[in-house]
Amino acid sequence: MTIRVIIVDDQAMVRAGFAALLAAQSDIDVVGEAADGRQGVEVSRHQHPDVVLMDVRMPEMDGLAAARELLNPPIGVVHRPKVLMLTTFDVDDYVYEALRAGASGFLLKDAPPADLIAAVRVVAAGDALLAPSVTRRLIADFAAQRPSGATRGGQALRLNGLTPRETEVLELIARGLSNQEIAGRLVLAEQTVKTHIGRVLAKLDLRDRAQAVIFAYESGLVTPGDAGA
């Protein structure tokens, strides 16, 4: 199955470079480009891509606003692509808000070409892409601005629906461990870990791993001081 991608970035050279790289892959088809967020939303609505590579900072409409429109479309619009945010700095102010809006992850523009190709495939497959640097940023955000007591209390109640093992898996996801690392830590098969993660997402009504990380912090299951444990 071919992955349909559009590239939204205000720099023509960036768009051209990414398009050439991705179009050279047999399983990826670049079906459109846009120079700002508003155009990106329009192109996406026409082309129905699987993945949108979205620059964070652009004129007219920035990447965060565009991601919100794509991921929370108006009534009557059924298409919701995966959104992979592109940024120059891993400490971009929009990281947390974009993930809350439903973005599937972040990728640095200076990442190696192989990382870009892998990121598109990972996101298209329904997983989230959270680099360690982005996870650290999330932790810093929570340390500086904790959710309200009401938010934390409501999220904590939802944790009661998880089994002890599922809770343990969620905690390790929030600490930045991969499926393979979680399997090693808990002495489980990697497929079993994937099954647990799927159940956690379903029970908590979360879209992907990125939202699971946010939920774990908002509920108080994990605190910034525990992150490196």
Side-chain angles (χ1 to χ4, degrees):
M1 178 180 176
T2 302
I3 302 169
R4 295 170 59 83
V5 177
I6 69 170
I7 302 166
V8 186
D9 194 293
D10 61 339
Q11 298 181 47
M13 289 185 65
V14 171
R15 296 197 307 272
F18 283 0
L21 176 65
L22 294 174
Q25 310 306 308
S26 61
D27 60 336
I28 298 175
D29 188 10
V30 178
V31 297
E33 298 179 18
D36 63 59
R38 192 168 303 283
Q39 290 180 16
V41 172
E42 293 174 359
V43 172
S44 179
R45 296 268 162 82
H46 283 94
Q47 295 295 337
H48 294 170
D50 300 301
V51 178
V52 176
L53 293 179
M54 181 79 73
D55 188 21
V56 169
R57 301 185 185 279
M58 293 180 289
E60 297 297 326
M61 176 186 283
D62 64 35
L64 177 57
R68 283 179 174 145
E69 284 208 20
L70 290 175
L71 296 166
N72 299 280
I75 295 174
V77 177
V78 297
H79 177 251
R80 290 203 325 178
K82 304 292 185 181
V83 176
L84 181 60
M85 306 299 293
L86 300 170
T87 183
T88 306
F89 306 104
D90 61 351
V91 293
D92 197 287
D93 292 338
Y94 287 157
V95 169
Y96 177 66
E97 285 304 320
L99 292 175
R100 283 200 60 138
S104 293
F106 272 75
L107 186 71
L108 297 180
K109 287 187 179 181
D110 62 357
D115 286 4
L116 172 64
I117 297 167
V120 168
R121 290 171 176 155
V122 165
V123 169
D127 206 346
L129 187 79
L130 282 179
S133 59
V134 172
T135 302
R136 285 195 296 272
R137 173 64 185 193
L138 279 175
I139 293 167
D141 282 347
F142 277 105
Q145 181 181 351
R146 294 293 190 87
S148 68
T151 298
R152 289 171 64 85
Q155 304 288 51
L157 283 175
R158 292 169 64 191
L159 283 173
N160 294 336
L162 302 182
T163 66
R165 178 63 86 189
E166 289 164 354
T167 302
E168 199 171 12
V169 168
L170 175 58
E171 180 180 350
L172 294 176
I173 290 173
R175 290 181 178 179
L177 274 67
S178 67
N179 289 358
Q180 185 176 13
E181 290 168 335
I182 293 172
R185 178 77 66 91
L186 300 181
V187 194
L188 297 171
E190 192 169 344
Q191 184 57 49
T192 302
V193 171
K194 291 180 181 178
T195 299
H196 283 311
I197 292 173
R199 288 174 179 164
V200 167
L201 297 180
K203 288 183 177 181
L204 297 177
D205 193 25
L206 302 173
R207 273 190 289 261
D208 54 32
R209 201 183 195 95
Q211 289 201 330
V213 172
I214 291 171
F215 181 92
Y217 282 97
E218 286 189 337
S219 66
L221 176 65
V222 176
T223 63
D226 296 333

